[in-house]
Amino acid sequence: MTATAPAPAPAQDERLIQRSVLRKLLGRPELGSVVGAIAVFVFFSIVADSFLRASSLSTVLYAASTIGIMAVPVALLMIGGEFDLSAGVLVTTSALVSSMFSYQMTANIWVGVGVSLLTTLALGAFNGFMLTRTKLPSFIITLGTFLMLTGLNLGFTKLISGTVSTKSIADMEGFASAKKVFASQLTLGSVNLKVTILWWFGLIALATWILLRTRFGNWIFAVGGEADAARAVGVPVYKTKIGLYMGVAFAAWISGQHLLFSFDVVQSGEGVGNELIYIIAAVIGGCLITGGYGSAIGSAVGAFIFGMTSKGIVYAEWNPDWFKFFLGAMLLLATLLNAWVRKRAEATA
Amino acid sequence: MARVRTGVRAIGAVLAAVLGASLVGCSSTGGKRAEDARKAASAQGKAAVNTPRWKFAMITHSGDGDTFWDIVQSGAKQAAVKDNIDFLYSHSDQGQQQAQFVQAAIDQKVDGIVVTLAKPDAMKDVVAKAAKAGIPVITVNSGSEKSKEYGALTHIGQDETIAGEAVGEELNKRGRKKALCVLHEQGNVGHEQRCAGTKKAFKGELQNLYVTGTNMPDVQSSIEAKLQADKSIDAVVTLGAPFADTAVKAKGSAGSSAEVDTFDLNAKVAAELKDGTLGFAVDQQPYLQGYEAVDLLWLYKYNGDVLGGGLPVLTGPQIITKDAAAKLEDYTKRGTR
């Protein structure tokens, strides 16, 4: 859309009307989810005694960050109008590649980490490339990748390690420094903050800047809103989509390295089912499933709601048999509140 | 297009740099080289008998990539090599799928079937079909109470309730007051039995906690949250070896002093038992379940032997503490314990 000739805008063009700060705030996609998050936070502060402790909040933040790191690029991808069902197992793939490459080659850990980055990005590019070339829905393409990766994770691990989990690489060179980067803790007073929280905030800032301040950000909204129209005005639709899938892959690499360096050993069957949690976080955060609308901050709020709910239920010490029910009900309520607030906001805006 | 080509060239350059680095950037500690150095030539073995090459199929309820079932399988394979058996393995965590695999084995006219009865009702008909087709069936791991009724020769495994009780008694012995039982698969009957058995024998209070087993950060943060919520918990019992180490990490983050104990073994658990990070592990010897199942089928075919006298043959629970762990560490590393 930046390529269109400057329209001879009449002075009363609605796009140029000055809006008050409040109005602007109400128009933000994450507004509803913020209200939902506050509601969940207040709720658990009341029902769970230990929820408000600083150490508890750091646990909640950690849980949110491991979802949130992936929810950021998944949200961008959804704004661009696509899904990625392979995102959950891609995280495991990324961890398996670094671990097994370093181990088998007896190489410095950082070499494995680098190889993993290239492999993961290539898999992301594969998703995007297949999608744009075949024009099949992303649901089919990434479901295929999801199944293939699940099989490859298991098959390769078994073939190379002889067992279904990787061997420990904790005694190898470079492990300590890599652990610092991907899985260390920062101690502030009596509270331990995991480094994933920093990665998460960094990704949110980066994604928000891309979405709102760069040409690529405009392209994302354009291809998600109306791909044909976007192409007509010169937006490189294919490149944008491939880029978005590679963004998901990049975040999967970060999460995968965290998984590897915080647990030393990776189980090849992990990650299945997490892709849905990332998508849920993005949707709670205000991304439309149909594309063209949403924000990175929203996905973070969605991840935070998910983290608060799943850990809050533990802090509240409710009967664990009903855990999944509570989780589902809380998420549904938070999302409904989110939708309601947005509707009200749109009505007044 | 030119930009794309530069991109390709850039990726090529990075790839070359990484591969170059991998040649010089070697680790002088750990890794494959250390393993090769460590590995004593373990005999792969040849057939020890000259009976016909019978075909046995093993069908389990394992999910994809499960460490435990991998060990069962290596036991079965070892026995198959020794007994000159053509060994087939398939698995599915869906009862219906598992039953179809058993049916496939019957269709293939195998000479013996090893099957788990984690979902007994789904397996009832096919096991009866196998018996009708004259194929001997041995059940392993789970389903001891149904094994005989369905017409299996014998059952080899651990009674989960008895194993849980052993854990409860060990906790009593260690003077624990309040324990947490961490279930990593909601709705798994065996898991429930383990925790229920522990609860029965344990004189203190036992609480259950459900975590998502396929998501390690979730396992860690959930245990962490629970330990923060209830400071009086002085023992954490995990139901699978990979979760024990995660529980240790969670305990560290939560600043708890609870003792971590676990079901099942792996290399990490053995090492942590040795250095005292873990209290004890209760092992059901999965290798033995696979090995004995194949070997007993062979004995039945060759000699008409049956073991157990109508009662299940128990492979556990074996409680492993610090002293025994040192010896077992090497076995866990090669994936047979």
Side-chain angles (χ1 to χ4, degrees), chain B residues 117-143:
Chain B
L117 298 181
K119 283 119 187 167
D121 296 325
M123 307 303 295
K124 189 175 180 177
D125 291 347
V126 278
V127 171
K129 257 188 205 167
K132 206 173 156 199
I135 302 171
V137 176
I138 285 184
T139 59
V140 291
N141 185 255
S142 37

mmCIF file of all heavy atoms in Angstrom, chain B residues 117-143:
data_model
loop_
_atom_site.group_PDB
_atom_site.id
_atom_site.type_symbol
_atom_site.label_atom_id
_atom_site.label_comp_id
_atom_site.label_asym_id
_atom_site.label_seq_id
_atom_site.Cartn_x
_atom_site.Cartn_y
_atom_site.Cartn_z
ATOM 1 N N LEU B 117 -1.676 -54.874 28.048
ATOM 2 C CA LEU B 117 -3.118 -54.689 28.230
ATOM 3 C C LEU B 117 -3.404 -53.417 29.023
ATOM 4 O O LEU B 117 -4.090 -53.429 30.045
ATOM 5 C CB LEU B 117 -3.726 -55.891 28.962
ATOM 6 C CG LEU B 117 -3.620 -57.251 28.278
ATOM 7 C CD1 LEU B 117 -4.298 -58.311 29.131
ATOM 8 C CD2 LEU B 117 -4.236 -57.221 26.895
ATOM 9 N N ALA B 118 -2.859 -52.279 28.540
ATOM 10 C CA ALA B 118 -3.107 -51.022 29.240
ATOM 11 C C ALA B 118 -4.566 -50.622 29.071
ATOM 12 O O ALA B 118 -5.155 -49.997 29.935
ATOM 13 C CB ALA B 118 -2.190 -49.933 28.704
ATOM 14 N N LYS B 119 -5.137 -50.962 27.906
ATOM 15 C CA LYS B 119 -6.555 -50.731 27.677
ATOM 16 C C LYS B 119 -7.196 -52.084 27.430
ATOM 17 O O LYS B 119 -7.434 -52.470 26.282
ATOM 18 C CB LYS B 119 -6.758 -49.817 26.471
ATOM 19 C CG LYS B 119 -6.493 -48.363 26.770
ATOM 20 C CD LYS B 119 -5.384 -47.793 25.936
ATOM 21 C CE LYS B 119 -5.042 -46.384 26.402
ATOM 22 N NZ LYS B 119 -3.786 -45.928 25.814
ATOM 23 N N PRO B 120 -7.451 -52.835 28.489
ATOM 24 C CA PRO B 120 -7.847 -54.240 28.374
ATOM 25 C C PRO B 120 -9.050 -54.463 27.472
ATOM 26 O O PRO B 120 -9.046 -55.390 26.645
ATOM 27 C CB PRO B 120 -8.165 -54.646 29.804
ATOM 28 C CG PRO B 120 -7.690 -53.579 30.680
ATOM 29 C CD PRO B 120 -7.420 -52.362 29.874
ATOM 30 N N ASP B 121 -10.066 -53.607 27.590
ATOM 31 C CA ASP B 121 -11.293 -53.850 26.829
ATOM 32 C C ASP B 121 -11.078 -53.779 25.335
ATOM 33 O O ASP B 121 -11.701 -54.517 24.568
ATOM 34 C CB ASP B 121 -12.376 -52.852 27.257
ATOM 35 C CG ASP B 121 -12.753 -53.054 28.715
ATOM 36 O OD1 ASP B 121 -12.749 -54.230 29.148
ATOM 37 O OD2 ASP B 121 -12.997 -52.071 29.417
ATOM 38 N N ALA B 122 -10.171 -52.863 24.926
ATOM 39 C CA ALA B 122 -9.900 -52.728 23.496
ATOM 40 C C ALA B 122 -9.181 -53.965 22.961
ATOM 41 O O ALA B 122 -9.266 -54.288 21.775
ATOM 42 C CB ALA B 122 -9.064 -51.482 23.245
ATOM 43 N N MET B 123 -8.461 -54.671 23.841
ATOM 44 C CA MET B 123 -7.612 -55.758 23.388
ATOM 45 C C MET B 123 -8.278 -57.125 23.519
ATOM 46 O O MET B 123 -7.784 -58.120 22.992
ATOM 47 C CB MET B 123 -6.302 -55.773 24.198
ATOM 48 C CG MET B 123 -5.560 -54.462 24.226
ATOM 49 S SD MET B 123 -5.185 -53.889 22.575
ATOM 50 C CE MET B 123 -4.070 -55.180 22.095
ATOM 51 N N LYS B 124 -9.396 -57.169 24.234
ATOM 52 C CA LYS B 124 -10.026 -58.439 24.591
ATOM 53 C C LYS B 124 -10.281 -59.336 23.370
ATOM 54 O O LYS B 124 -9.852 -60.487 23.323
ATOM 55 C CB LYS B 124 -11.349 -58.136 25.300
ATOM 56 C CG LYS B 124 -11.990 -59.354 25.902
ATOM 57 C CD LYS B 124 -13.224 -58.959 26.689
ATOM 58 C CE LYS B 124 -13.855 -60.207 27.280
ATOM 59 N NZ LYS B 124 -15.015 -59.880 28.100
ATOM 60 N N ASP B 125 -10.949 -58.773 22.361
ATOM 61 C CA ASP B 125 -11.348 -59.580 21.209
ATOM 62 C C ASP B 125 -10.163 -60.120 20.412
ATOM 63 O O ASP B 125 -10.141 -61.286 20.035
ATOM 64 C CB ASP B 125 -12.261 -58.766 20.287
ATOM 65 C CG ASP B 125 -13.610 -58.525 20.947
ATOM 66 O OD1 ASP B 125 -13.885 -59.193 21.966
ATOM 67 O OD2 ASP B 125 -14.359 -57.661 20.449
ATOM 68 N N VAL B 126 -9.187 -59.240 20.151
ATOM 69 C CA VAL B 126 -8.058 -59.690 19.325
ATOM 70 C C VAL B 126 -7.218 -60.731 20.040
ATOM 71 O O VAL B 126 -6.691 -61.650 19.404
ATOM 72 C CB VAL B 126 -7.149 -58.543 18.851
ATOM 73 C CG1 VAL B 126 -7.724 -57.863 17.641
ATOM 74 C CG2 VAL B 126 -6.841 -57.568 19.953
ATOM 75 N N VAL B 127 -7.080 -60.586 21.361
ATOM 76 C CA VAL B 127 -6.292 -61.572 22.102
ATOM 77 C C VAL B 127 -6.988 -62.941 22.022
ATOM 78 O O VAL B 127 -6.351 -63.979 21.808
ATOM 79 C CB VAL B 127 -6.062 -61.127 23.564
ATOM 80 C CG1 VAL B 127 -5.439 -62.244 24.380
ATOM 81 C CG2 VAL B 127 -5.156 -59.896 23.612
ATOM 82 N N ALA B 128 -8.335 -62.903 22.131
ATOM 83 C CA ALA B 128 -9.092 -64.151 21.994
ATOM 84 C C ALA B 128 -8.916 -64.748 20.599
ATOM 85 O O ALA B 128 -8.777 -65.960 20.429
ATOM 86 C CB ALA B 128 -10.572 -63.877 22.280
ATOM 87 N N LYS B 129 -8.904 -63.873 19.582
ATOM 88 C CA LYS B 129 -8.710 -64.309 18.200
ATOM 89 C C LYS B 129 -7.365 -64.995 18.010
ATOM 90 O O LYS B 129 -7.263 -66.012 17.322
ATOM 91 C CB LYS B 129 -8.758 -63.094 17.263
ATOM 92 C CG LYS B 129 -10.070 -62.955 16.516
ATOM 93 C CD LYS B 129 -9.928 -61.850 15.488
ATOM 94 C CE LYS B 129 -11.272 -61.253 15.170
ATOM 95 N NZ LYS B 129 -11.143 -59.997 14.434
ATOM 96 N N ALA B 130 -6.347 -64.419 18.641
ATOM 97 C CA ALA B 130 -5.006 -64.993 18.530
ATOM 98 C C ALA B 130 -4.994 -66.388 19.132
ATOM 99 O O ALA B 130 -4.460 -67.333 18.537
ATOM 100 C CB ALA B 130 -3.990 -64.091 19.228
ATOM 101 N N ALA B 131 -5.621 -66.502 20.320
ATOM 102 C CA ALA B 131 -5.670 -67.808 20.979
ATOM 103 C C ALA B 131 -6.389 -68.825 20.096
ATOM 104 O O ALA B 131 -5.981 -69.979 19.970
ATOM 105 C CB ALA B 131 -6.359 -67.670 22.333
ATOM 106 N N LYS B 132 -7.483 -68.363 19.447
ATOM 107 C CA LYS B 132 -8.271 -69.222 18.580
ATOM 108 C C LYS B 132 -7.462 -69.673 17.366
ATOM 109 O O LYS B 132 -7.612 -70.798 16.874
ATOM 110 C CB LYS B 132 -9.532 -68.467 18.127
ATOM 111 C CG LYS B 132 -10.684 -69.384 17.766
ATOM 112 C CD LYS B 132 -11.938 -68.560 17.495
ATOM 113 C CE LYS B 132 -12.879 -69.323 16.597
ATOM 114 N NZ LYS B 132 -13.849 -68.428 15.953
ATOM 115 N N ALA B 133 -6.595 -68.760 16.889
ATOM 116 C CA ALA B 133 -5.749 -69.082 15.734
ATOM 117 C C ALA B 133 -4.555 -69.932 16.137
ATOM 118 O O ALA B 133 -3.704 -70.252 15.307
ATOM 119 C CB ALA B 133 -5.285 -67.800 15.062
ATOM 120 N N GLY B 134 -4.473 -70.288 17.432
ATOM 121 C CA GLY B 134 -3.388 -71.143 17.890
ATOM 122 C C GLY B 134 -2.070 -70.409 18.104
ATOM 123 O O GLY B 134 -1.011 -71.021 18.125
ATOM 124 N N ILE B 135 -2.126 -69.084 18.254
ATOM 125 C CA ILE B 135 -0.894 -68.320 18.479
ATOM 126 C C ILE B 135 -0.750 -68.064 19.982
ATOM 127 O O ILE B 135 -1.636 -67.466 20.595
ATOM 128 C CB ILE B 135 -0.926 -66.978 17.735
ATOM 129 C CG1 ILE B 135 -1.137 -67.213 16.233
ATOM 130 C CG2 ILE B 135 0.339 -66.170 17.993
ATOM 131 C CD1 ILE B 135 -1.393 -65.953 15.442
ATOM 132 N N PRO B 136 0.338 -68.508 20.604
ATOM 133 C CA PRO B 136 0.519 -68.240 22.034
ATOM 134 C C PRO B 136 0.713 -66.748 22.294
ATOM 135 O O PRO B 136 1.390 -66.065 21.528
ATOM 136 C CB PRO B 136 1.775 -69.037 22.397
ATOM 137 C CG PRO B 136 2.488 -69.251 21.113
ATOM 138 C CD PRO B 136 1.447 -69.284 20.034
ATOM 139 N N VAL B 137 0.068 -66.265 23.370
ATOM 140 C CA VAL B 137 0.152 -64.843 23.715
ATOM 141 C C VAL B 137 0.719 -64.696 25.120
ATOM 142 O O VAL B 137 0.323 -65.418 26.030
ATOM 143 C CB VAL B 137 -1.243 -64.184 23.669
ATOM 144 C CG1 VAL B 137 -1.165 -62.726 24.128
ATOM 145 C CG2 VAL B 137 -1.841 -64.280 22.285
ATOM 146 N N ILE B 138 1.659 -63.778 25.274
ATOM 147 C CA ILE B 138 2.141 -63.421 26.610
ATOM 148 C C ILE B 138 1.875 -61.943 26.816
ATOM 149 O O ILE B 138 2.115 -61.131 25.913
ATOM 150 C CB ILE B 138 3.653 -63.735 26.762
ATOM 151 C CG1 ILE B 138 3.832 -65.241 26.923
ATOM 152 C CG2 ILE B 138 4.250 -63.000 27.953
ATOM 153 C CD1 ILE B 138 5.246 -65.683 27.177
ATOM 154 N N THR B 139 1.309 -61.570 27.956
ATOM 155 C CA THR B 139 1.072 -60.160 28.222
ATOM 156 C C THR B 139 2.202 -59.622 29.093
ATOM 157 O O THR B 139 2.726 -60.329 29.951
ATOM 158 C CB THR B 139 -0.275 -59.938 28.931
ATOM 159 O OG1 THR B 139 -0.273 -60.669 30.157
ATOM 160 C CG2 THR B 139 -1.424 -60.419 28.076
ATOM 161 N N VAL B 140 2.579 -58.382 28.847
ATOM 162 C CA VAL B 140 3.645 -57.766 29.648
ATOM 163 C C VAL B 140 3.190 -56.433 30.195
ATOM 164 O O VAL B 140 2.249 -55.815 29.686
ATOM 165 C CB VAL B 140 4.948 -57.529 28.842
ATOM 166 C CG1 VAL B 140 5.629 -58.821 28.485
ATOM 167 C CG2 VAL B 140 4.678 -56.691 27.605
ATOM 168 N N ASN B 141 3.913 -56.005 31.233
ATOM 169 C CA ASN B 141 3.800 -54.668 31.805
ATOM 170 C C ASN B 141 2.471 -54.403 32.510
ATOM 171 O O ASN B 141 2.416 -54.381 33.721
ATOM 172 C CB ASN B 141 4.066 -53.625 30.710
ATOM 173 C CG ASN B 141 4.075 -52.218 31.256
ATOM 174 O OD1 ASN B 141 3.128 -51.486 31.061
ATOM 175 N ND2 ASN B 141 5.120 -51.881 31.959
ATOM 176 N N SER B 142 1.407 -54.176 31.748
ATOM 177 C CA SER B 142 0.150 -53.829 32.415
ATOM 178 C C SER B 142 -0.935 -54.830 32.038
ATOM 179 O O SER B 142 -0.905 -55.403 30.955
ATOM 180 C CB SER B 142 -0.279 -52.421 32.027
ATOM 181 O OG SER B 142 0.021 -52.176 30.687
ATOM 182 N N GLY B 143 -1.894 -55.022 32.929
ATOM 183 C CA GLY B 143 -3.022 -55.908 32.646
ATOM 184 C C GLY B 143 -2.920 -57.267 33.309
ATOM 185 O O GLY B 143 -3.517 -58.239 32.824
#
